[in-house]
Amino acid sequence: MGKLYLVPTPIGNLKDMTFRAIEVLKEVDLILAEDTRTSGKLLKHFEIGTQMHSHHMHNEHKTTEGIVNRIKAGENVALISDAGTPAISDPGFLLTRACVEADIEVDCLPGATAFVPALVNSALPNDRFVFEGFLPIKKGRQTRLQAMAEEHRTIIFYESPHKLLKTLAHLIEYVGEDRPVSISRELSKLHEETIRGSLKEVLKHFTEKPPKGELVIVMGGKK
């Protein structure tokens, strides 16, 4: 029986790729990639010639069983996402669960993920925190925001630049304009930036300077 490897990839800076990750990707029989075009550039950079198949949120329900059967037959498979650690707001959970249920060994390598550096450099309490991923766009959004208003732990979630102002306005509506927040964008890249302040101050900043790049929002909990 083979093994499933969950392999983190850089969130921006290619120097964050680990030696072990490169070694695993070169040695496995198959690499599952969220977007083969994006991952193809990464593999080419590190001279990795392993066969690659597409595995993303739109096909993972259909492909998981076949992948499990290949691993049971002896193949070693690595799963990567476009950036960061698989299954963190990316595909990976379904396949991991299926492998565990089939008694297949799963090995998750340590590596890049966006919310950890955003939390650590936020200067907000990080001894206890909750990760919310992406907020629902419509259904369930109000319920989630209401729950966050009562959360005492530091709260972390992801947001896209074109939705940031709307999300900040919603947060002010539910938790108040004075709640401390830290927003990091373009982590590990050339134009990395972290803006800290109250929700009101941060909303003003990004209203005047529209954000670019993926964002991590870290918000203080209820006092």
Side-chain angles (χ1 to χ4, degrees):
M1 187 178 290
K3 181 190 293 188
L4 173 67
Y5 292 90
L6 305 176
V7 182
T9 55
I11 59 175
N13 194 323
L14 290 179
K15 293 180 180 179
D16 292 333
M17 190 75 167
T18 69
F19 292 119
R20 185 180 171 206
I22 296 171
E23 181 180 82
V24 168
L25 294 180
K26 286 183 175 181
E27 292 180 352
V28 294
D29 301 293
L30 175 68
I31 296 173
L32 302 174
E34 186 178 2
D35 186 326
T36 55
R37 294 167 298 180
T38 299
S39 296
K41 298 174 184 177
L42 178 76
L43 300 190
K44 182 178 180 180
H45 179 83
F46 290 107
E47 300 179 345
I48 299 168
T50 307
Q51 181 184 14
M52 184 168 46
H53 283 182
S54 178
H55 184 80
H56 49 73
M57 63 180 294
H58 301 295
N59 73 355
E60 59 181 338
H61 287 86
K62 297 179 181 178
T63 60
T64 292
E65 183 178 354
I67 296 165
V68 168
N69 289 335
R70 292 183 65 164
I71 299 174
K72 289 171 70 174
E75 293 189 52
N76 289 315
V77 175
L79 174 66
I80 60 176
S81 63
D82 288 347
T85 300
I88 303 295
S89 295
D90 278 320
F93 165 69
L94 291 179
L95 180 57
T96 300
R97 181 177 64 181
C99 285
V100 170
E101 290 175 348
D103 291 325
I104 292 171
E105 184 177 354
V106 178
D107 190 352
C108 183
L109 279 62
T113 189
F115 78 79
V116 173
L119 170 63
V120 173
N121 71 24
S122 70
L124 292 168
N126 55 29
D127 55 331
R128 298 174 68 241
F129 60 90
V130 56
F131 175 65
E132 291 285 342
F134 286 96
L135 291 177
I137 298 174
K138 293 181 179 180
K139 185 178 180 180
R141 187 178 180 90
Q142 182 178 351
T143 301
R144 187 83 65 86
L145 287 166
Q146 289 173 339
M148 289 168 60
E150 300 302 317
E151 175 60 65
H152 292 272
R153 295 169 293 182
T154 297
I155 307 163
I156 310 164
F157 50 98
Y158 293 154
E159 191 52 278
S160 57
H162 66 280
K163 296 178 183 176
L164 178 64
L165 297 183
K166 181 179 179 180
T167 294
L168 291 175
H170 281 165
L171 289 172
I172 288 174
E173 178 183 349
Y174 282 88
V175 309
E177 62 182 20
D178 296 326
R179 186 74 67 92
V181 67
S182 172
I183 300 182
S184 295
R185 68 178 191 89
E186 297 289 84
L187 284 165
S188 84
K189 300 178 184 177
L190 180 62
H191 300 291
E192 178 178 338
E193 178 184 45
T194 295
I195 303 298
R196 305 175 184 87
S198 67
L199 280 169
K200 179 181 179 180
E201 292 168 339
V202 170
L203 175 60
K204 181 176 184 296
H205 172 86
F206 284 112
T207 300
E208 296 171 353
K209 298 180 180 179
K212 296 181 180 179
E214 295 302 311
L215 302 150
V216 184
I217 301 175
V218 183
M219 185 174 71
K222 181 180 180 180
K223 297 295 185 180

